[in-house]
Amino acid sequence: MQRMWQNWARNQSMTPAAVEHPASVDEVSRVVKEAAAAGRHVKAIGSGHSFTGIGLTDGVLVQLDRLDRLVSADAATGRVVVQGGLPLHRLNALLTERGLSLTNMGDVDAQTVTGAISTGTHGTGRDSGALATQLLALELVLADGSVLTCSQEENPDVFAAARVSLGALGIVTSVTLQAEPTFLLRADERPMPMADVLDGFDEHVAGNEHFEFYWFPGTRTALTKRNNRATVAAPLGRVRALVEDELLANGLFGATCWAARHAPRAVPALNRLASRTMAPRTYTDTAPRVFTSPRRVRFVEMEYALPRERVVDVLRALQRLPEARGVSFPVEVRVAPADDVPLSTAYGRTSAYVAVHVYRGDPYETYFAAVEALMVEADGRPHWGKLHTLGAAQLRELYPRFDEYVALRNRLDPERRFTNPYLERVLGS
Ligand SMILES: Cc1cc2nc3c(=O)[nH]c(=O)nc-3n(C[C@H](O)[C@H](O)[C@H](O)COP(=O)(O)OP(=O)(O)OC[C@H]3O[C@@H](n4cnc5c(N)ncnc54)[C@H](O)[C@@H]3O)c2cc1C
């Protein structure tokens, strides 16, 4: 009997029929062939940082923790090949040692590189998009156990779809990324009146390489973050980083969430207090240290990508939502340029992301449903790894190349070796 597996947020669990830890591409191929012979489903899992059931299986769970090496890194071209199970925090460290860096990344670095790419993981960027846009090539083990490599030049139809694959096309055993020379980012973090942030949203985005903000429901203040390239390092001291990022951002925030659960009526006051304690700060450090930070307080999340021009109106409506009152977690707003990845949430349109969070274990359904109604009304596309209720019929309307992806999946996985209930819902079979 296998042990139960749970995701990071502990809102998804599974007890697979078997767990495999292949150490080579041949072993991955063997695992898939044996599962096919036994009529079982197969699913690779990363770090379990998705909030949806996208990584669940009743069949064979494949963990790539023995396929977690940097294969090559060419400092001259920035071309980097890594195995599928490598976690992002190790990738960042290995790249830094070689004078290289990813161009953009999300808030945390706990995900595996393939897990992150598969759901369209993104950060915030005026000019630079999701991790999938930094991909040059992929190696996949397909449903029949064969190995396929794809890039713009080789199997370009597979490459297009597999850049954000939802884990439905095969097991990704390695990826080739386009990195760049390491660079410093100057972080400028400061509270601002929410009204000013919304009024000047387009200018804030246009004036910064990476702009984002957090807004605590029920307050009039937002914490803004601007990250721009710089040349002189000025990192936070270790003690200050410990106090601000661990004690305040994680420790005090966790205590606030706990207090809010036990005294819900105090939430507006706690949120006002939290927004008043946000002190301005600036520092300059290597890109991974500025882009990512630890998240120790567990939560569940929903995030939608909106056409950029609609986000301010949606946020104004969100401010008026009665369901947002009493929520102790902030709303996070980020941006991305349009990209050309068929199932990327930013496909073909300049986008803004709105993410809502709720402390793990607190009820979220009413709040998320009210926010989701606003997002759907504004043609929002849900993050594939974060909670949402859309199905294939709605998603087909939102993605012009949806049917192209489905046709490719039909060709690569006709027997649905890699499917699960979440994929049946969002892909329609
Ligand atoms: C604290 C926290 C912070 C987050 N911050 C951000 C953020 O800033 N931006 C953002 O966009 N998202 C963010 N997310 C969401 C997260 O990045 C995505 O859900 C991501 O997919 C998780 O990566 P993972 O390695 O945990 O993959 P998992 O959740 O384990 O798996 C995700 C999918 O990838 C598939 N998969 C994994 N490995 C392979 C493989 N080798 N081959 C084929 N398929 C594979 C799985 O089957 C599954 O379908 C955050 C999540 C958490 C919990």
Side-chain angles (χ1 to χ4, degrees):
M1 180 68 183
Q2 290 296 332
R3 291 239 308 271
M4 190 176 79
W5 176 98
Q6 279 191 310
N7 65 340
W8 177 88
R10 300 189 194 138
N11 67 324
Q12 303 286 346
S13 60
M14 63 175 149
T15 306
V19 180
E20 297 279 355
H21 299 264
S24 67
V25 179
D26 282 349
E27 281 184 36
V28 176
S29 176
R30 176 187 54 78
V31 166
V32 174
K33 282 182 188 157
E34 285 176 3
R40 284 178 166 168
H41 293 125
V42 184
K43 189 118 293 266
I45 196 75
S47 303
H49 271 53
S50 295
F51 301 91
T52 58
I54 193 165
L56 302 185
T57 187
D58 57 3
V60 182
L61 184 69
V62 179
Q63 296 191 314
L64 295 186
D65 46 351
R66 294 166 73 199
L67 279 174
D68 64 346
R69 281 189 309 107
L70 175 77
V71 178
S72 64
D74 185 333
T77 63
R79 206 178 161 92
V80 175
V81 183
V82 302
Q83 291 183 318
L86 184 68
L88 287 174
H89 62 92
R90 281 192 39 223
L91 171 64
N92 285 336
L94 290 163
L95 290 183
T96 303
E97 280 170 18
R98 288 157 180 79
L100 291 170
S101 173
L102 296 177
T103 299
N104 198 355
M105 53 195 97
D107 286 345
V108 299
D109 56 10
Q111 308 95 319
T112 59
V113 63
T114 38
I117 287 165
S118 300
T119 64
T121 294
H122 63 90
T124 191
R126 179 189 60 201
D127 316 309
S128 55
L131 268 178
T133 65
Q134 300 167 53
L135 265 180
L136 295 174
L138 289 157
E139 178 186 75
L140 292 131
V141 172
L142 301 178
D144 62 2
S146 63
V147 181
L148 179 135
T149 51
C150 60
S151 64
Q152 298 280 16
E153 296 77 36
E154 193 180 2
N155 298 306
D157 54 340
V158 180
F159 180 65
R163 281 190 287 168
V164 173
S165 73
L166 317 187
L169 303 180
I171 297 185
V172 180
T173 42
S174 78
V175 302
T176 305
L177 292 157
Q178 180 63 60
E180 60 172 299
T182 42
F183 58 94
L184 296 171
L185 283 174
R186 180 177 189 273
D188 175 339
E189 304 175 355
R190 52 184 138 114
M192 277 180 72
M194 180 66 170
D196 293 353
V197 174
L198 294 186
D199 288 346
F201 184 72
D202 289 340
E203 292 82 68
H204 301 315
V205 172
N208 294 283
E209 288 167 270
H210 307 276
F211 176 75
E212 68 179 303
F213 69 89
Y214 294 86
W215 167 68
F216 282 88
T219 73
R220 296 194 181 138
T221 311
L223 176 64
T224 60
K225 295 190 173 200
R226 295 164 180 77
N227 296 331
N228 289 291
R229 292 190 187 217
T231 45
V232 182
L236 285 177
R238 282 180 63 143
V239 173
R240 189 164 170 209
L242 187 72
V243 169
E244 292 177 357
D245 293 337
E246 291 292 352
L247 289 178
L248 291 177
N250 281 297
L252 182 63
F253 183 54
T256 306
C257 292
W258 185 88
R261 176 178 294 170
H262 293 86
R265 279 206 231 139
V267 171
L270 287 169
N271 280 357
R272 281 194 294 278
L273 181 69
S275 65
R276 273 205 295 271
T277 56
M278 296 184 294
R281 65 176 187 175
T282 56
Y283 57 94
T284 304
D285 212 331
T286 53
R289 291 203 189 162
V290 175
F291 281 130
T292 68
S293 49
R295 291 280 192 280
R296 312 220 190 273
V297 183
R298 290 184 197 232
F299 54 83
V300 292
E301 180 175 351
M302 178 175 75
E303 184 178 55
Y304 267 79
L306 304 173
R308 175 95 54 88
E309 63 280 7
R310 301 190 72 169
V311 70
V312 170
D313 286 344
V314 167
L315 287 166
R316 290 204 168 106
L318 207 165
Q319 282 181 296
R320 293 191 296 270
L321 269 189
E323 291 84 355
R325 277 188 217 128
V327 173
S328 53
F329 251 86
V331 175
E332 184 179 14
V333 179
R334 294 180 279 185
V335 295
D339 67 43
D340 64 350
V341 184
L343 289 194
S344 162
T345 45
Y347 176 80
R349 64 189 200 191
T350 310
S351 301
Y353 291 90
V354 178
V356 290
H357 315 73
V358 164
Y359 187 37
R360 186 181 68 83
D362 281 358
Y364 64 84
E365 291 82 355
T366 313
Y367 173 45
F368 281 14
V371 175
E372 187 168 48
L374 298 177
M375 303 296 171
V376 169
E377 172 66 27
D379 291 334
R381 294 171 177 161
H383 189 302
W384 299 104
K386 302 186 183 179
L387 295 176
H388 70 96
T389 65
L390 300 202
Q394 290 151 298
L395 291 159
R396 175 171 281 111
E397 297 297 314
L398 292 164
Y399 286 95
R401 293 171 70 183
F402 192 85
D403 285 325
E404 186 187 316
Y405 175 92
V406 168
L408 184 83
R409 180 189 183 223
N410 287 341
R411 175 157 71 79
L412 295 185
D413 188 13
E415 293 177 359
R416 300 291 186 263
R417 188 68 46 220
F418 300 113
T419 199
N420 63 17
Y422 176 84
L423 292 178
E424 284 167 14
R425 189 186 102 208
V426 299
L427 295 176
S429 67

